[in-house]
């Protein structure tokens, strides 16, 4: 038990205390830290179908720490998880076809970030997906998602709903890495001023 939960590592981050949070393929989330003597310790956090507050998926594709010290985990097929490190509880955000303000798609790659207003941005879809869910903006206070997606009649909008990576720079610009359609970017303020899926102008770089 004092080893990694899986040898297939997808993503990891370092916490403020120097410990590592490691997302794995089918091994859940591993927390690795060193004690004062230098010995390595491991805590394995797995999906438990009997526990509604557990991790929602055993494959963790991305780990992101927000400004409030919460961990946000993207999963292979079970949506977004918010992890409270103090309580050890997970909140699940998943796609609900009957709720237009839920997560747009349950497959998340390396695409979670936070803007300077505390909103969480999530890209969905991946290489093997025909039509992913595009970009999601989550207000953590309300739990409401807004979607920004590819539409055929919007030539200046997103060119695909399969989003591989997201990044917000120091000028509050959202950079969007797509699957097979290059890089797009847009100011967060412009996105916030428009309704979801309105005629937004995304600039493309190659």
């Amino acid at each position: 038990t004092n080893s990694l939960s899986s040898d297939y590592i997808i993503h990891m981050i370092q916490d403020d205390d120097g410990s590592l949070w490691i997302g794995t393929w089918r091994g859940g989330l591993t927390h690795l830290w060193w004690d004062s003597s230098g010995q390595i310790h491991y805590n394995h956090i797995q999906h438990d179908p009997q526990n509604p507050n557990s991790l929602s998926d055993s494959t963790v594709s991305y780990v992101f720490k927000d400004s409030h010290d919460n961990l946000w985990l993207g999963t292979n097929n079970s949506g977004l998880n918010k992890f409270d490190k103090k309580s050890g509880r997970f909140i699940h955000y998943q796609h609900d076809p009957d709720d237009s303000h839920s997560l747009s798609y349950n497959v998340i790659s390396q695409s979670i970030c936070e803007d300077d207003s505390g909103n969480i941005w999530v890209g969905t879809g991946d290489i093997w997906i025909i039509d992913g869910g595009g970009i999601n903006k989550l207000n953590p206070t309300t739990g409401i998602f807004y979607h920004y997606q590819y539409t055929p009649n919007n030539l200046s909008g997103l060119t695909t709903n399969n989003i591989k990576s997201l990044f917000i720079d120091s000028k509050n610009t959202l950079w969007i890495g797509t699957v097979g359609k290059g890089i797009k970017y847009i100011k967060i303020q412009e996105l916030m001023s428009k309704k979801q899926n309105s005629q937004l102008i995304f600039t493309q770089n190659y």
Side-chain angles (χ1 to χ4, degrees), residues 33-41:
W33 75 97
W34 294 261
D35 64 22
S36 57
S37 67
Q39 183 178 357
I40 298 177
H41 297 269

Side-chain angles (χ1 to χ4, degrees), residues 20-125:
L20 299 177
W21 295 94
I22 304 168
T24 71
W25 177 263
R26 297 183 177 178
L29 179 69
T30 291
H31 188 207
L32 182 156
W33 75 97
W34 294 261
D35 64 22
S36 57
S37 67
Q39 183 178 357
I40 298 177
H41 297 269
Y42 300 85
N43 181 29
H44 303 146
I45 303 171
Q46 303 278 3
H47 168 62
D48 179 359
Q50 305 301 319
N51 181 2
N53 297 313
S54 75
L55 182 64
S56 67
D57 195 313
S58 293
T59 296
V60 176
S61 55
Y62 197 69
V63 185
F64 174 78
K65 188 165 80 76
D66 69 15
S67 57
H68 299 286
D69 205 36
N70 299 302
L71 291 183
W72 295 86
L73 310 173
T75 68
N76 184 58
N77 201 36
S78 299
L80 178 69
N81 288 239
K82 178 183 178 182
F83 179 46
D84 185 328
K85 292 184 288 183
K86 293 181 179 178
S87 68
R89 293 166 62 96
F90 290 85
I91 298 174
H92 305 158
Y93 300 91
Q94 296 176 323
H95 175 64
D96 179 353
D98 296 322
D99 183 359
S100 62
H101 289 298
S102 67
L103 184 70
S104 63
Y105 204 79
N106 282 332
V107 177
I108 299 172
S109 295
Q110 297 166 346
S111 50
I112 305 173
C113 55
E114 179 185 18
D115 65 27
D116 56 10
S117 297
N119 297 301
I120 301 298
W121 295 81
V122 182
T124 61

Side-chain angles (χ1 to χ4, degrees), residues 3-4 14 20 30 61 70 75 83 85 92 105 111 120 127 132 138 142-143 159 169-170 178 190 192:
S3 66
L4 286 172
Q14 186 174 45
L20 299 177
T30 291
S61 55
N70 299 302
T75 68
F83 179 46
K85 292 184 288 183
H92 305 158
Y105 204 79
S111 50
I120 301 298
I127 294 172
L138 170 65
T142 64
T159 49
D169 67 17
S170 59
T178 69
E190 186 176 350
M192 299 281 281

